[in-house]
PDB file of all heavy atoms in Angstrom:
ATOM      1  N   ALA A  71       3.517   9.493  33.584  1.00 98.00           N
ATOM      2  CA  ALA A  71       4.323   8.399  34.132  1.00 98.00           C
ATOM      3  C   ALA A  71       3.657   7.093  33.732  1.00 98.00           C
ATOM      4  O   ALA A  71       2.722   6.628  34.404  1.00 98.00           O
ATOM      5  CB  ALA A  71       4.426   8.506  35.652  1.00 98.00           C
ATOM      6  N   PHE A  75       4.090   5.829  39.068  1.00 98.00           N
ATOM      7  CA  PHE A  75       5.331   6.020  39.815  1.00 98.00           C
ATOM      8  C   PHE A  75       5.764   4.700  40.461  1.00 98.00           C
ATOM      9  O   PHE A  75       4.920   3.883  40.845  1.00 98.00           O
ATOM     10  CB  PHE A  75       5.143   7.063  40.923  1.00 98.00           C
ATOM     11  CG  PHE A  75       4.657   8.398  40.455  1.00 98.00           C
ATOM     12  CD1 PHE A  75       3.590   9.025  41.098  1.00 98.00           C
ATOM     13  CD2 PHE A  75       5.265   9.053  39.392  1.00 98.00           C
ATOM     14  CE1 PHE A  75       3.142  10.263  40.687  1.00 98.00           C
ATOM     15  CE2 PHE A  75       4.824  10.301  38.975  1.00 98.00           C
ATOM     16  CZ  PHE A  75       3.746  10.913  39.625  1.00 98.00           C
ATOM     17  N   ILE A 104       0.411  15.593  36.155  1.00 98.00           N
ATOM     18  CA  ILE A 104       1.104  14.394  35.693  1.00 98.00           C
ATOM     19  C   ILE A 104       0.081  13.271  35.656  1.00 98.00           C
ATOM     20  O   ILE A 104      -0.588  12.987  36.651  1.00 98.00           O
ATOM     21  CB  ILE A 104       2.261  14.006  36.626  1.00 98.00           C
ATOM     22  CG1 ILE A 104       3.325  15.103  36.651  1.00 98.00           C
ATOM     23  CG2 ILE A 104       2.891  12.687  36.162  1.00 98.00           C
ATOM     24  CD1 ILE A 104       4.446  14.850  37.647  1.00 98.00           C
ATOM     25  N   LYS A 105      -0.041  12.638  34.525  1.00 97.00           N
ATOM     26  CA  LYS A 105      -0.969  11.520  34.358  1.00 97.00           C
ATOM     27  C   LYS A 105      -0.270  10.225  34.779  1.00 97.00           C
ATOM     28  O   LYS A 105       0.890  10.000  34.423  1.00 97.00           O
ATOM     29  CB  LYS A 105      -1.425  11.433  32.899  1.00 97.00           C
ATOM     30  CG  LYS A 105      -2.510  10.395  32.630  1.00 97.00           C
ATOM     31  CD  LYS A 105      -2.928  10.399  31.182  1.00 97.00           C
ATOM     32  CE  LYS A 105      -3.635  11.684  30.813  1.00 97.00           C
ATOM     33  NZ  LYS A 105      -4.962  11.795  31.480  1.00 97.00           N
ATOM     34  N   ILE A 106      -0.984   9.380  35.527  1.00 97.00           N
ATOM     35  CA  ILE A 106      -0.438   8.084  35.931  1.00 97.00           C
ATOM     36  C   ILE A 106      -1.497   7.000  35.726  1.00 97.00           C
ATOM     37  O   ILE A 106      -2.696   7.272  35.735  1.00 97.00           O
ATOM     38  CB  ILE A 106       0.047   8.067  37.404  1.00 97.00           C
ATOM     39  CG1 ILE A 106      -1.141   8.203  38.363  1.00 97.00           C
ATOM     40  CG2 ILE A 106       1.085   9.151  37.651  1.00 97.00           C
ATOM     41  CD1 ILE A 106      -0.780   7.921  39.821  1.00 97.00           C
ATOM     42  N   ASP A 107      -1.057   5.781  35.546  1.00 96.00           N
ATOM     43  CA  ASP A 107      -1.960   4.613  35.470  1.00 96.00           C
ATOM     44  C   ASP A 107      -1.232   3.445  36.121  1.00 96.00           C
ATOM     45  O   ASP A 107      -0.683   2.586  35.441  1.00 96.00           O
ATOM     46  CB  ASP A 107      -2.362   4.297  34.022  1.00 96.00           C
ATOM     47  CG  ASP A 107      -1.211   4.445  33.033  1.00 96.00           C
ATOM     48  OD1 ASP A 107      -0.038   4.390  33.476  1.00 96.00           O
ATOM     49  OD2 ASP A 107      -1.460   4.617  31.834  1.00 96.00           O
ATOM     50  N   PRO A 108      -1.240   3.400  37.454  1.00 97.00           N
ATOM     51  CA  PRO A 108      -0.396   2.460  38.207  1.00 97.00           C
ATOM     52  C   PRO A 108      -0.636   0.989  37.867  1.00 97.00           C
ATOM     53  O   PRO A 108      -1.759   0.569  37.593  1.00 97.00           O
ATOM     54  CB  PRO A 108      -0.774   2.739  39.669  1.00 97.00           C
ATOM     55  CG  PRO A 108      -1.390   4.098  39.658  1.00 97.00           C
ATOM     56  CD  PRO A 108      -2.071   4.224  38.346  1.00 97.00           C
ATOM     57  N   TYR A 140      -5.050  13.505  43.290  1.00 97.00           N
ATOM     58  CA  TYR A 140      -5.085  12.628  42.129  1.00 97.00           C
ATOM     59  C   TYR A 140      -6.539  12.499  41.677  1.00 97.00           C
ATOM     60  O   TYR A 140      -7.378  11.947  42.398  1.00 97.00           O
ATOM     61  CB  TYR A 140      -4.527  11.246  42.464  1.00 97.00           C
ATOM     62  CG  TYR A 140      -3.034  11.241  42.704  1.00 97.00           C
ATOM     63  CD1 TYR A 140      -2.510  11.582  43.949  1.00 97.00           C
ATOM     64  CD2 TYR A 140      -2.148  10.885  41.687  1.00 97.00           C
ATOM     65  CE1 TYR A 140      -1.136  11.579  44.182  1.00 97.00           C
ATOM     66  CE2 TYR A 140      -0.773  10.870  41.912  1.00 97.00           C
ATOM     67  CZ  TYR A 140      -0.280  11.222  43.156  1.00 97.00           C
ATOM     68  OH  TYR A 140       1.083  11.212  43.384  1.00 97.00           O
ATOM     69  N   GLU A 387      -6.709   5.192  35.537  1.00 95.00           N
ATOM     70  CA  GLU A 387      -5.935   6.366  35.139  1.00 95.00           C
ATOM     71  C   GLU A 387      -6.306   7.572  36.004  1.00 95.00           C
ATOM     72  O   GLU A 387      -7.480   7.790  36.298  1.00 95.00           O
ATOM     73  CB  GLU A 387      -6.222   6.666  33.664  1.00 95.00           C
ATOM     74  CG  GLU A 387      -5.280   7.676  33.048  1.00 95.00           C
ATOM     75  CD  GLU A 387      -5.506   7.823  31.549  1.00 95.00           C
ATOM     76  OE1 GLU A 387      -6.405   8.583  31.152  1.00 95.00           O
ATOM     77  OE2 GLU A 387      -4.788   7.160  30.779  1.00 95.00           O
ATOM     78  N   PHE A 388      -5.272   8.349  36.380  1.00 97.00           N
ATOM     79  CA  PHE A 388      -5.457   9.514  37.234  1.00 97.00           C
ATOM     80  C   PHE A 388      -4.653  10.687  36.685  1.00 97.00           C
ATOM     81  O   PHE A 388      -3.583  10.495  36.101  1.00 97.00           O
ATOM     82  CB  PHE A 388      -4.959   9.234  38.664  1.00 97.00           C
ATOM     83  CG  PHE A 388      -5.612   8.069  39.343  1.00 97.00           C
ATOM     84  CD1 PHE A 388      -5.209   6.767  39.069  1.00 97.00           C
ATOM     85  CD2 PHE A 388      -6.628   8.259  40.270  1.00 97.00           C
ATOM     86  CE1 PHE A 388      -5.797   5.684  39.698  1.00 97.00           C
ATOM     87  CE2 PHE A 388      -7.235   7.180  40.906  1.00 97.00           C
ATOM     88  CZ  PHE A 388      -6.809   5.885  40.615  1.00 97.00           C
TER      89      PHE A 388
END
Side-chain angles (χ1 to χ4, degrees):
F75 304 132
I104 297 175
K105 186 178 293 292
I106 67 169
D107 40 21
Y140 290 83
E387 192 174 84
F388 302 80

